[in-house]
Amino acid sequence: MFEKILIANRGEIACRVIRACREMKIATVAVYSDADRDALHVRMADEAFHIGPPPSSESYLRWEKIIEVAKTAGAEAIHPGYGFLSENAEFVREVTKAGITFIGPPPEAMEAMGGKISARKIAIAAGVPVVPGTTVPLTSFDDAQETAASFGYPVMLKASAGGGGKGMRLVAEEGGLRSALENSQSEARASFGDDAVYIEKAIVRPRHIEIQIFSNTHGNHVHLGERECSIQRRHQKVVEEAPSPINSTELRDEMGACAVKVAKAVDYVGAGTVEFLVSDLDKSFYFLEMNTRLQVEHPVTELVTGIDLVREQIRVAAGEKLSFVQEDVVLNGHAIECRVYAEDPDNNFLPSPGRITRLRLPQGPGVRDDGGVYEGSEVSIYYDPMISKFAVYGKDRAEAIDRMRRALQEYEVGGIKTTLPFFREIMDDEEFIAGNLDTGFIAGFYDRKKTTAVDETSRDIALIAAALAYSKVQPSSASSSNHAAKPNRWVMAGRDALHVSRL
Ligand code: MV4
């Protein structure tokens, strides 16, 4: 086993990896930018090295500098966390060349899954269902027109190099195809320097369900069940849970077997995630892509399986066997995670950087906070504004929701705006409680909120009308001129309720 690991990341995930290392009695090396001198991961690590100015391109993405630090500090392995260099095959090759172990999959597996078209081809060859569509880039508008017609509208245009919804366009009918194709290609070129775009049949309001897989260097591949990640805002996951409210044991076994086929097909090693779109109509599922890293939302899988995924990653990288076989993986209870962002939910989720002047974390049964900040720390503008992942565990989904609702009441962050109030509302949302989740959830959530707001306004108007009628029949003790200048407290209350100064 390794004696010292360098963590090439920051924030909550760097802290998470340090925690696993400490439990395994492995020394830790942090790296930090100027903006992170006082960051929690720097304080938690045994050693910390400065690697550059705040922009990630000059610090957390500078792999030659990071490898140099690893050599200086005597770290035998590098954990990349997620984001930054975690899916950069070139980085993996350089780390390996320097005689250091990369904690993650081989670069060939990363590259095979890096392009969407390449990933689709591998899934098809492995006998895994993919969304009906092409496996070659479109060559012309005529080609697009013919292909779209053969699958039938609506179709989805996707950038092969894509990610985060970039270059993706939903086309409802043939009339919208030409401009969608042009937009998709130019966005793909601008974002990835690659304008290869292909067509898939659009799945209407699918669920996004992903399977956690694990593979070791001895050719063993297992899956750890699914995570439901349908609640997304601008292609960013917001709330995740395990298991999915719709997944039956049969569907889980089927999807798990498919995920393992994909892992085998690329000789995968370590922690990976195979994403699927699931249609609610007939529970048909389709391979979407594979993420060749530890994911942000891994805690919900840890909570229901009892398996420490970071510990397993480190064991696998050291060439050890997994600590479990497929039959040992038993799902217990239900876990829900909310991503706590330094963003203002009342202002279109505008980032809210600044000093955290107060931090009170929920306590008591079934709660877990994976944080990257402390009271007094500064949330900078340079990096992703996620400050913590807050997760709860319950014996079933209903208990988990009750627990999340209670814990969110306890959670206090002062000095900056956070998404906590938004999660408090989601936990009371009837569709969320019913488990009716799909990619249209957030849009529907805001529509439901608007409807409720209208109901409240109608109630206030009725209240004011009642108050006015009451004030007319009640003889006032004040003079009539006084009465006009100072409405009685019913009217005042009505005005307050409506937030207007004039009726
Ligand atoms: C789709 C789709 C419907 N049909 N593909 C893929 C990447 C992801 N960020 C969005 N993706 C989608 N691909 C086909 N053929 C719908 C989505 C989608 C989505 C998927 C999961 C979670 C949220 C989503 C929001 C909008 C669209």
Side-chain angles (χ1 to χ4, degrees), residues 131 156 158 168 200-203 208 232 235 277 288 439:
V131 186
M156 202 64 112
K158 291 189 180 183
M168 194 168 88
E200 282 179 8
K201 183 155 184 63
I203 310 296
H208 172 129
Q232 302 194 9
H235 302 294
L277 289 181
L288 200 56
T439 53

Side-chain angles (χ1 to χ4, degrees), residues 360-483:
R360 176 175 175 257
L361 298 176
Q363 300 181 348
V367 303
R368 166 173 173 179
D369 188 73
D370 280 66
V373 297
Y374 54 88
E375 188 169 292
S377 73
E378 183 88 22
V379 179
S380 95
I381 55 163
Y382 291 99
Y383 314 108
D384 183 88
M386 190 177 76
I387 56 170
S388 128
K389 300 177 316 208
F390 182 67
V392 297
Y393 174 81
K395 68 175 190 303
D396 52 27
R397 190 166 187 269
E399 187 177 86
I401 293 174
D402 287 344
R403 198 158 262 171
M404 180 58 91
R405 194 181 290 119
R406 179 270 295 175
L408 288 171
Q409 285 167 15
E410 290 180 29
Y411 210 135
E412 284 180 46
V413 181
I416 56 166
K417 294 272 200 266
T418 72
T419 47
L420 287 167
F422 171 69
F423 293 127
R424 292 183 189 117
E425 291 185 2
I426 286 186
M427 291 306 133
D428 284 333
D429 181 81
E430 62 199 46
E431 297 296 327
F432 177 78
I433 293 168
N436 294 333
L437 313 177
D438 62 44
T439 53
F441 178 84
I442 294 290
F445 168 74
Y446 279 110
D447 285 347
R448 287 188 289 282
K449 255 182 79 158
K450 254 186 249 157
T451 316
T452 319
V454 169
D455 288 349
E456 281 169 5
T457 306
S458 319
R459 190 199 61 204
D460 292 341
I461 290 168
L463 182 73
I464 292 160
L468 287 168
Y470 170 86
S471 72
K472 276 190 188 135
V473 296
Q474 285 289 317
S476 170
S477 59
S479 74
S480 61
S481 62
N482 247 351
H483 184 258

Side-chain angles (χ1 to χ4, degrees), residues 50-88:
H50 176 250
I51 49 167
S56 354
S57 58
E58 297 171 51
S59 51
Y60 297 105
L61 290 171
R62 283 189 57 192
W63 50 262
E64 69 301 337
K65 183 88 191 168
I66 290 169
I67 292 171
E68 183 191 308
V69 169
K71 284 186 191 160
T72 307
E76 307 135 274
I78 295 182
H79 194 300
Y82 51 71
F84 295 133
L85 296 164
S86 62
E87 291 174 282
N88 185 323

Side-chain angles (χ1 to χ4, degrees), residues 221-463:
H221 306 271
V222 294
H223 78 85
L224 283 74
E226 81 282 6
R227 292 185 286 261
E228 161 85 55
C229 304
S230 297
I231 305 186
Q232 302 194 9
R233 216 194 134 262
R234 297 195 179 152
H235 302 294
Q236 293 273 21
K237 293 166 189 159
V238 176
V239 179
E240 303 102 345
E241 53 186 296
S244 163
I246 64 155
N247 255 25
S248 58
T249 311
E250 300 80 66
L251 190 55
R252 176 173 309 122
D253 289 349
E254 261 185 80
M255 291 177 72
C258 284
V260 163
K261 281 185 195 169
V262 173
K264 271 190 185 143
V266 293
D267 293 322
Y268 201 77
V269 176
T273 298
V274 182
E275 296 185 348
F276 295 93
L277 289 181
V278 181
S279 166
D280 249 6
L281 301 173
D282 56 359
K283 307 283 181 282
S284 54
F285 63 87
Y286 309 94
F287 169 84
L288 200 56
E289 53 195 84
M290 179 174 189
N291 299 317
T292 56
R293 58 166 192 276
L294 182 73
Q295 300 222 149
V296 175
E297 60 272 26
H298 75 276
V300 291
T301 297
E302 296 188 321
L303 287 167
V304 297
T305 60
I307 295 168
D308 180 333
L309 296 188
V310 180
R311 187 187 187 98
E312 295 300 327
Q313 281 190 298
I314 295 170
R315 287 173 56 100
V316 163
E320 295 186 13
K321 295 229 162 78
L322 291 170
S323 67
F324 54 88
V325 293
Q326 190 67 65
E327 293 69 44
D328 298 331
V329 180
V330 182
L331 305 192
N332 267 309
H334 200 95
I336 303 175
E337 173 182 277
C338 294
R339 296 191 184 187
V340 184
Y341 275 88
E343 290 176 346
D344 183 358
D346 291 330
N347 202 355
N348 205 22
F349 294 83
L350 202 72
S352 177
R355 189 167 300 283
I356 295 175
T357 53
R358 177 166 166 72
L359 183 63
R360 176 175 175 257
L361 298 176
Q363 300 181 348
V367 303
R368 166 173 173 179
D369 188 73
D370 280 66
V373 297
Y374 54 88
E375 188 169 292
S377 73
E378 183 88 22
V379 179
S380 95
I381 55 163
Y382 291 99
Y383 314 108
D384 183 88
M386 190 177 76
I387 56 170
S388 128
K389 300 177 316 208
F390 182 67
V392 297
Y393 174 81
K395 68 175 190 303
D396 52 27
R397 190 166 187 269
E399 187 177 86
I401 293 174
D402 287 344
R403 198 158 262 171
M404 180 58 91
R405 194 181 290 119
R406 179 270 295 175
L408 288 171
Q409 285 167 15
E410 290 180 29
Y411 210 135
E412 284 180 46
V413 181
I416 56 166
K417 294 272 200 266
T418 72
T419 47
L420 287 167
F422 171 69
F423 293 127
R424 292 183 189 117
E425 291 185 2
I426 286 186
M427 291 306 133
D428 284 333
D429 181 81
E430 62 199 46
E431 297 296 327
F432 177 78
I433 293 168
N436 294 333
L437 313 177
D438 62 44
T439 53
F441 178 84
I442 294 290
F445 168 74
Y446 279 110
D447 285 347
R448 287 188 289 282
K449 255 182 79 158
K450 254 186 249 157
T451 316
T452 319
V454 169
D455 288 349
E456 281 169 5
T457 306
S458 319
R459 190 199 61 204
D460 292 341
I461 290 168
L463 182 73

